Amino acid sequence: MRPTLAIARRELRSAWNSPVAYVLVVGFLVFCAGWLYFVRGFFAAGLADLRPYFGLMPLAFAFLAPAATMRSWAEERRLGTYELLLTMPFSEGELVLGKFIASLSTLGAALLLSLPVPLTASLLGSFDPGVLAGQYLGALLAAATATAAGEWVSSLAKNQVSAFVASASLLLALVLVDRLAAFLRLGGAAAGLAAWLSMSRHFESLSRGVLDGRDLAYYLATSGVFLYLTAWNVRRRKWS
């Protein structure tokens, strides 16, 4: 675990020594708060309901996670430090997990700093702390899947721009696949597959603070698959 944490600290120093992480966090907070208060008219609605706020999280992570992960591997390749990193006494799993933890920590910081939004909204109504905790846990799981997907795409990309575009496209597809299926009027097995793949569909219960085992399994499994694919790609490049 110590090598993994060493990689994570290295990545966190690199991220927070530049203005990128600060811009991402502030942009996330402004966007989500603006969506709740102005677009969805929280105060005008007169209803103390945070589901619109948390329901936006998968879509927000479709852009935030690619921005946080695009540097992870693509920047190493651009700077010529990729091969040097692979020669260090770290396994592929430790490298991948360390970078994943660092990127997820940035998204976790954004979620933590968003707490004033529901706390301020609680002045207008009574919120169950258990439900709020469940909603934040669900948001963190969605962030983990988006981060793992971004890490995988970054390990394939040659530069940051292509990593961001490709991972944002992949995540948007995962978020909107069920709606696309409904728009195309797909039925049967195709509609069922689209619903199973959809990040937003699995987030519906979590946005209400309901922890469904099937949704938890989905986010944990997809995160694991993307991290495995990232480690496999790093291993392939190491021995090629």
Side-chain angles (χ1 to χ4, degrees):
M1 191 64 182
R2 187 173 298 175
T4 299
L5 294 178
I7 293 294
R9 286 194 296 268
R10 170 185 179 269
E11 295 296 313
L12 282 171
R13 282 196 299 268
S14 175
W16 291 93
N17 281 337
S18 69
V20 176
Y22 300 95
V23 171
L24 291 179
V25 171
V26 172
F28 171 80
L29 297 175
V30 171
F31 175 70
C32 290
W35 173 267
L36 177 66
Y37 291 137
F38 299 105
V39 177
R40 296 304 299 264
F42 178 81
F43 294 113
L47 180 64
D49 185 7
L50 288 174
R51 278 183 292 178
Y53 180 71
F54 286 98
L56 181 68
M57 293 295 179
L59 184 61
F61 291 143
F63 295 97
L64 182 64
T69 60
M70 63 183 183
R71 301 177 67 256
S72 291
W73 300 99
E75 185 69 1
E76 299 276 8
R77 191 173 294 109
R78 187 187 71 84
L79 295 176
T81 58
Y82 189 88
E83 290 75 14
L84 177 63
L85 184 64
L86 295 182
T87 61
M88 292 182 177
F90 302 120
S91 67
E92 294 85 359
E94 290 168 341
L95 289 172
V96 170
L97 191 57
K99 286 178 174 288
F100 168 75
I101 290 174
S103 298
L104 182 58
S105 296
T106 300
L107 272 65
L111 284 173
L112 184 63
L113 291 173
S114 72
L115 270 172
V117 173
L119 292 179
T120 301
S122 67
L123 298 175
L124 301 179
S126 177
F127 290 98
D128 186 342
V131 171
L132 187 61
Q135 290 170 325
Y136 268 101
L137 176 60
L140 186 61
L141 289 172
T145 292
T147 301
E151 292 288 341
W152 174 58
V153 173
S154 182
S155 72
L156 296 169
K158 294 183 178 180
N159 55 68
Q160 294 186 51
V161 175
S162 60
F164 176 83
V165 172
S167 55
S169 300
L170 171 62
L171 289 169
L172 281 174
L174 288 175
V175 170
L176 301 175
V177 62
D178 59 326
R179 299 184 184 184
L180 178 61
F183 177 77
L184 296 176
R185 297 183 179 179
L186 299 179
L193 178 61
W196 183 83
L197 289 173
S198 173
M199 285 181 61
S200 58
R201 178 64 66 87
H202 285 283
F203 197 74
E204 288 179 357
S205 296
L206 296 174
S207 68
R208 300 193 300 270
V210 179
L211 302 181
D212 190 315
R214 293 168 295 181
D215 300 326
L216 299 180
Y218 167 84
Y219 283 111
L220 292 174
T222 50
S223 298
V225 167
F226 281 124
L227 290 176
Y228 174 81
L229 291 174
T230 306
W232 181 83
N233 190 52
V234 172
R235 186 181 303 114
R236 179 177 61 86
R237 290 180 178 273
K238 183 177 182 179
W239 297 109
S240 61

